[in-house]
Amino acid sequence: MGKNNKKKRKRSLSADSREAAPPTADRTQQTKSKADAGKDKKPNAVKNPLLDKQHAFLYQESISDAERKEFFSDAVPSERRAQLWMDQADLGEELVNRYAWATPDPVAIRILKEFSPLVEVGCGSNAYWCKILREAGVDIVGYDVNVDSGGKIEEGSSKKKKKKKGTTGPSYLKQGGPEVLETEELQKSGRTLFLGYPD
Protein backbone atom coordinates (compact mmCIF):
# COMPACT_ATOMS: atom_id res chain seq x y z
CA MET A 1 0.00 0.00 0.00
CA GLY A 2 1.45 3.40 -0.96
CA LYS A 3 1.94 6.28 1.47
CA ASN A 4 -1.09 8.18 0.16
CA ASN A 5 -3.34 5.13 0.51
CA LYS A 6 -2.12 4.57 4.08
CA LYS A 7 -2.92 8.18 4.98
CA LYS A 8 -6.38 7.92 3.41
CA ARG A 9 -7.05 4.64 5.26
CA LYS A 10 -5.86 6.16 8.56
CA ARG A 11 -8.13 9.19 8.07
CA SER A 12 -11.02 6.88 7.18
CA LEU A 13 -10.57 4.80 10.35
CA SER A 14 -10.36 7.88 12.56
CA ALA A 15 -13.56 9.23 10.96
CA ASP A 16 -15.20 5.86 11.66
CA SER A 17 -14.15 6.13 15.30
CA ARG A 18 -15.91 9.47 15.60
CA GLU A 19 -19.08 7.95 14.13
CA ALA A 20 -19.01 5.04 16.58
CA ALA A 21 -18.47 7.25 19.61
CA PRO A 22 -21.46 7.43 21.95
CA PRO A 23 -23.58 10.54 21.75
CA THR A 24 -22.39 13.45 23.88
CA ALA A 25 -25.07 16.00 23.06
CA ASP A 26 -27.22 17.65 25.72
CA ARG A 27 -29.74 15.61 27.71
CA THR A 28 -32.68 16.44 25.44
CA GLN A 29 -30.75 15.14 22.45
CA GLN A 30 -29.83 11.94 24.32
CA THR A 31 -33.38 11.14 25.36
CA LYS A 32 -35.05 11.45 21.96
CA SER A 33 -38.00 9.23 21.33
CA LYS A 34 -37.38 6.14 19.23
CA ALA A 35 -39.34 7.67 16.37
CA ASP A 36 -37.14 10.79 16.31
CA ALA A 37 -33.88 8.86 16.73
CA GLY A 38 -34.25 7.13 13.36
CA LYS A 39 -34.47 10.43 11.48
CA ASP A 40 -30.81 11.31 12.12
CA LYS A 41 -29.42 8.05 10.74
CA LYS A 42 -27.73 7.78 7.37
CA PRO A 43 -30.04 6.33 4.72
CA ASN A 44 -27.96 3.13 4.38
CA ALA A 45 -27.18 2.73 8.09
CA VAL A 46 -27.59 -0.76 9.49
CA LYS A 47 -30.12 -1.10 12.29
CA ASN A 48 -28.29 -2.36 15.37
CA PRO A 49 -30.69 -2.84 18.30
CA LEU A 50 -27.95 -4.24 20.56
CA LEU A 51 -25.82 -1.10 20.25
CA ASP A 52 -28.92 1.09 20.57
CA LYS A 53 -29.99 -0.62 23.82
CA GLN A 54 -26.48 -0.35 25.27
CA HIS A 55 -26.36 3.37 24.46
CA ALA A 56 -29.85 3.84 25.92
CA PHE A 57 -28.63 2.29 29.19
CA LEU A 58 -25.38 4.27 29.32
CA TYR A 59 -26.94 7.60 28.43
CA GLN A 60 -30.08 7.46 30.56
CA GLU A 61 -30.65 10.57 32.65
CA SER A 62 -30.05 8.74 35.95
CA ILE A 63 -26.38 8.09 35.03
CA SER A 64 -24.19 11.18 35.28
CA ASP A 65 -21.28 12.06 33.00
CA ALA A 66 -18.90 11.51 35.94
CA GLU A 67 -20.31 8.02 36.51
CA ARG A 68 -19.75 7.15 32.85
CA LYS A 69 -16.28 8.66 32.56
CA GLU A 70 -14.87 7.77 35.98
CA PHE A 71 -16.74 4.58 36.81
CA PHE A 72 -13.77 2.86 38.49
CA SER A 73 -12.47 5.93 40.32
CA ASP A 74 -13.24 7.21 43.81
CA ALA A 75 -15.49 9.84 42.18
CA VAL A 76 -18.22 7.19 42.08
CA PRO A 77 -19.20 5.85 45.53
CA SER A 78 -18.79 2.08 45.79
CA GLU A 79 -22.50 1.53 46.57
CA ARG A 80 -23.52 3.43 43.44
CA ARG A 81 -20.92 1.60 41.36
CA ALA A 82 -22.26 -1.73 42.66
CA GLN A 83 -25.83 -0.74 41.78
CA LEU A 84 -24.87 0.33 38.25
CA TRP A 85 -22.84 -2.85 37.82
CA MET A 86 -25.83 -5.01 38.80
CA ASP A 87 -28.17 -3.03 36.55
CA GLN A 88 -25.89 -3.48 33.55
CA ALA A 89 -25.41 -7.17 34.39
CA ASP A 90 -29.17 -7.74 34.38
CA LEU A 91 -29.55 -5.91 31.09
CA GLY A 92 -26.43 -7.63 29.76
CA GLU A 93 -27.87 -11.12 30.30
CA GLU A 94 -31.02 -10.16 28.43
CA LEU A 95 -29.01 -8.66 25.56
CA VAL A 96 -26.67 -11.66 25.33
CA ASN A 97 -29.62 -14.03 25.09
CA ARG A 98 -31.40 -11.89 22.54
CA TYR A 99 -28.47 -10.64 20.44
CA ALA A 100 -24.79 -11.43 21.14
CA TRP A 101 -21.91 -11.32 23.63
CA ALA A 102 -19.98 -8.72 21.66
CA THR A 103 -21.34 -5.61 19.95
CA PRO A 104 -20.78 -4.78 16.29
CA ASP A 105 -20.30 -1.05 15.73
CA PRO A 106 -19.75 0.94 12.51
CA VAL A 107 -15.95 0.72 12.81
CA ALA A 108 -15.93 -3.07 13.24
CA ILE A 109 -18.36 -3.47 10.36
CA ARG A 110 -16.21 -1.38 8.00
CA ILE A 111 -13.04 -3.23 8.99
CA LEU A 112 -14.61 -6.67 8.56
CA LYS A 113 -16.01 -5.64 5.20
CA GLU A 114 -12.39 -5.31 4.02
CA PHE A 115 -11.80 -9.01 4.78
CA SER A 116 -14.99 -10.33 3.15
CA PRO A 117 -16.00 -13.03 2.35
CA LEU A 118 -16.10 -14.28 5.96
CA VAL A 119 -16.91 -17.40 7.91
CA GLU A 120 -17.81 -17.11 11.59
CA VAL A 121 -17.39 -20.18 13.77
CA GLY A 122 -19.23 -20.00 17.08
CA CYS A 123 -21.74 -17.41 15.87
CA GLY A 124 -24.39 -18.43 18.41
CA SER A 125 -27.95 -19.36 17.63
CA ASN A 126 -28.82 -15.70 17.04
CA ALA A 127 -26.00 -15.28 14.49
CA TYR A 128 -26.29 -11.57 15.29
CA TRP A 129 -22.95 -10.50 13.81
CA CYS A 130 -23.77 -12.43 10.64
CA LYS A 131 -27.14 -10.69 10.42
CA ILE A 132 -25.68 -7.20 10.97
CA LEU A 133 -22.77 -7.79 8.59
CA ARG A 134 -25.04 -9.18 5.87
CA GLU A 135 -27.29 -6.12 6.20
CA ALA A 136 -24.14 -4.03 5.64
CA GLY A 137 -23.38 -5.92 2.44
CA VAL A 138 -20.76 -8.33 3.81
CA ASP A 139 -20.65 -11.90 2.47
CA ILE A 140 -20.63 -14.09 5.60
CA VAL A 141 -21.80 -17.52 6.72
CA GLY A 142 -21.96 -18.59 10.35
CA TYR A 143 -21.58 -21.91 12.12
CA ASP A 144 -22.42 -22.97 15.66
CA VAL A 145 -22.45 -26.44 17.20
CA ASN A 146 -25.81 -25.64 18.78
CA VAL A 147 -28.00 -23.68 16.37
CA ASP A 148 -30.93 -23.76 18.83
CA SER A 149 -29.34 -22.22 21.93
CA GLY A 150 -25.65 -21.64 21.24
CA GLY A 151 -24.20 -18.57 22.90
CA LYS A 152 -27.09 -18.05 25.33
CA ILE A 153 -26.97 -17.81 29.10
CA GLU A 154 -29.30 -20.58 30.23
CA GLU A 155 -29.06 -20.38 34.01
CA GLY A 156 -31.17 -17.66 35.57
CA SER A 157 -32.68 -16.73 32.24
CA SER A 158 -36.36 -16.16 32.77
CA LYS A 159 -37.26 -15.44 29.16
CA LYS A 160 -36.38 -18.64 27.37
CA LYS A 161 -37.59 -18.50 23.82
CA LYS A 162 -38.57 -21.80 22.27
CA LYS A 163 -38.42 -22.28 18.52
CA LYS A 164 -41.61 -23.48 16.92
CA LYS A 165 -41.43 -26.96 15.48
CA GLY A 166 -40.65 -26.94 11.81
CA THR A 167 -38.93 -23.56 11.83
CA THR A 168 -35.38 -23.12 10.71
CA GLY A 169 -32.84 -20.41 11.25
CA PRO A 170 -31.58 -18.05 8.60
CA SER A 171 -29.90 -19.55 5.53
CA TYR A 172 -26.50 -18.18 6.59
CA LEU A 173 -26.60 -20.07 9.95
CA LYS A 174 -25.36 -23.65 9.72
CA GLN A 175 -24.60 -26.33 12.27
CA GLY A 176 -20.94 -27.05 12.88
CA GLY A 177 -17.85 -26.21 14.84
CA PRO A 178 -14.17 -25.69 14.02
CA GLU A 179 -14.09 -28.91 12.00
CA VAL A 180 -16.04 -27.20 9.19
CA LEU A 181 -12.92 -25.18 8.39
CA GLU A 182 -11.33 -28.38 7.10
CA THR A 183 -14.10 -29.07 4.58
CA GLU A 184 -13.23 -28.77 0.92
CA GLU A 185 -16.05 -26.26 0.40
CA LEU A 186 -14.65 -23.80 2.94
CA GLN A 187 -11.03 -24.50 2.05
CA LYS A 188 -11.73 -23.40 -1.54
CA SER A 189 -14.11 -20.56 -0.64
CA GLY A 190 -11.43 -17.99 0.18
CA ARG A 191 -13.36 -16.98 3.30
CA THR A 192 -11.58 -15.26 6.18
CA LEU A 193 -12.19 -16.71 9.64
CA PHE A 194 -13.99 -14.33 12.00
CA LEU A 195 -14.22 -15.11 15.73
CA GLY A 196 -16.54 -12.59 17.36
CA TYR A 197 -16.21 -13.61 21.00
CA PRO A 198 -13.83 -16.54 21.40
CA ASP A 199 -13.59 -17.95 24.92
Side-chain angles (χ1 to χ4, degrees), residues 120 123 127-135 138 140-143 172 194:
E120 181 180 11
C123 64
Y128 187 72
W129 278 76
C130 288
K131 176 183 179 293
I132 295 295
L133 288 166
R134 288 176 70 88
E135 287 175 7
V138 176
I140 184 170
V141 294
Y143 289 87
Y172 52 84
F194 166 58

Side-chain angles (χ1 to χ4, degrees), residues 21-122:
T24 56
D26 62 44
R27 292 276 184 217
T28 56
Q29 191 75 1
Q30 293 172 5
T31 56
K32 284 183 180 181
S33 70
K34 287 183 181 179
D36 291 340
K39 293 177 185 175
D40 296 335
K41 292 187 179 178
K42 294 178 186 174
N44 296 327
V46 174
K47 290 181 181 176
N48 190 340
L50 174 57
L51 187 61
D52 294 343
K53 288 174 193 283
Q54 289 170 334
H55 279 177
F57 174 81
L58 285 172
Y59 294 95
Q60 60 185 298
E61 287 187 28
S62 63
I63 299 177
S64 71
D65 286 340
E67 289 171 332
R68 276 190 292 281
K69 293 176 183 173
E70 301 178 37
F71 185 76
F72 291 106
S73 76
D74 291 337
V76 179
S78 59
E79 297 82 18
R80 175 67 174 151
R81 186 172 29 256
Q83 180 59 51
L84 289 171
W85 190 266
M86 292 308 296
D87 290 348
Q88 70 80 30
D90 291 341
L91 175 66
E93 182 174 323
E94 176 188 328
L95 296 179
V96 163
N97 284 334
R98 191 165 182 192
Y99 301 106
W101 283 87
T103 308
D105 69 359
V107 176
I109 293 167
R110 281 197 188 87
I111 291 170
L112 288 169
K113 202 175 225 181
E114 296 294 320
F115 294 95
S116 181
L118 303 171
V119 57
E120 181 180 11
V121 176

Side-chain angles (χ1 to χ4, degrees), residues 97-98 125-126 148-149 152 154 157-164:
N97 284 334
R98 191 165 182 192
S125 59
N126 296 327
D148 293 323
S149 63
K152 298 193 182 214
E154 295 298 331
S157 179
S158 57
K159 297 180 183 177
K160 292 182 182 176
K161 205 173 180 182
K162 291 184 179 179
K163 284 190 177 182
K164 294 178 185 174

